[in-house]
């Protein structure tokens, strides 16, 4: 792609590094920015820089946060004794959009997948076990993608928790096996949370 400006080409190359953004889309975005007032473009750039510099990982649940604790963990109206265990931050956003869950979360940062070289030590499993051991946790709800890797992660954590009196459940399988949680519609996620079932039922 021949461009009339080296600066324009550099900007297009940077935008095209984003997921799902090809050269043509990147060029369209850059040309759009060029039409905006300098103040608007500057505000756009400042927002990106602040986001990258000032966002943190919640020290308790590993969600994205603007402070040491995220807005969910620090909210006294949330049920701190109920923890929904998810794979990624995108899953937190997906479940929150249903407005059907009033507990807290724990982001594992992935799932156990030996073929991909991901083991338990690379995930935030130990901090979760520490929360269970030290806190007044009544229930763990596993909201992991319904795959073999997801089920393996559930079984591993459940085994590491023993002996424990904490109730362990998983969201109902309203989501197709092998599907991705973040792409499920809000109604499916809401019903899955409402009709969660004991982990033992997965073995049947």
């Amino acid at each position: 792609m021949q461009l009339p400006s080296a600066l324009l080409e550099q900007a297009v190359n940077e935008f095209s590094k984003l997921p799902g953004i090809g050269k043509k889309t990147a060029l369209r975005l850059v040309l759009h920015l060029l039409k905006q007032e300098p103040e608007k473009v500057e505000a756009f750039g400042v927002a990106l820089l602040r986001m990258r510099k000032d966002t943190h990982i919640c020290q308790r649940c590993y969600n994205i946060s603007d402070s040491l604790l995220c807005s969910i963990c620090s909210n006294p109206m949330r049920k701190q004794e109920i923890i929904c265990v998810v794979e990624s931050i995108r899953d937190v956003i997906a479940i929150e959009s249903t407005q059907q869950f009033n507990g807290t979360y724990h982001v594992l940062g992935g799932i156990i997948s030996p073929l991909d070289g991901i083991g338990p030590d690379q995930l935030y499993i130990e901090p979760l076990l520490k929360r269970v051991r030290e806190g007044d946790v009544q229930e763990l709800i596993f909201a992991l993608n319904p795959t073999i890797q997801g089920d393996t992660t559930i079984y591993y954590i459940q085994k590491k928790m023993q002996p424990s009196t904490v109730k362990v459940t998983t969201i109902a399988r309203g989501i197709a096996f092998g599907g991705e949680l973040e792409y499920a519609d809000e109604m499916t996620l809401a019903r899955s949370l409402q009709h969660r079932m004991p982990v033992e039922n997965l073995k049947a």
Side-chain angles (χ1 to χ4, degrees), residues 115-167:
L115 292 178
D116 296 321
I118 301 175
D121 294 340
Q122 295 170 270
L123 307 176
Y124 296 119
I125 292 178
E126 189 55 41
L128 172 62
L129 297 175
K130 184 177 180 181
R131 288 179 70 181
V132 172
R133 289 192 297 264
E134 298 180 354
D136 187 25
V137 179
Q138 297 179 5
E139 181 180 5
L140 280 188
I141 305 171
F142 283 98
L144 303 182
N145 291 322
T147 62
I148 294 176
Q149 292 85 355
D151 287 351
T152 299
T153 304
I154 293 173
Y155 294 145
Y156 176 86
I157 295 174
Q158 185 187 27
K159 185 176 180 180
K160 294 290 288 186
M161 285 175 54
Q162 297 175 355
S164 174
T165 59
V166 174
K167 182 180 180 181

Side-chain angles (χ1 to χ4, degrees), residues 84-114:
C84 183
V85 182
V86 296
E87 176 182 346
S88 70
I89 293 166
R90 289 177 295 183
D91 297 332
V92 174
I93 296 171
I95 293 174
E96 282 295 289
S97 68
T98 71
Q99 299 183 345
Q100 297 293 315
F101 181 65
N102 194 38
T104 60
Y105 294 91
H106 189 89
V107 181
L108 294 175
I111 52 178
I112 297 173
S113 180

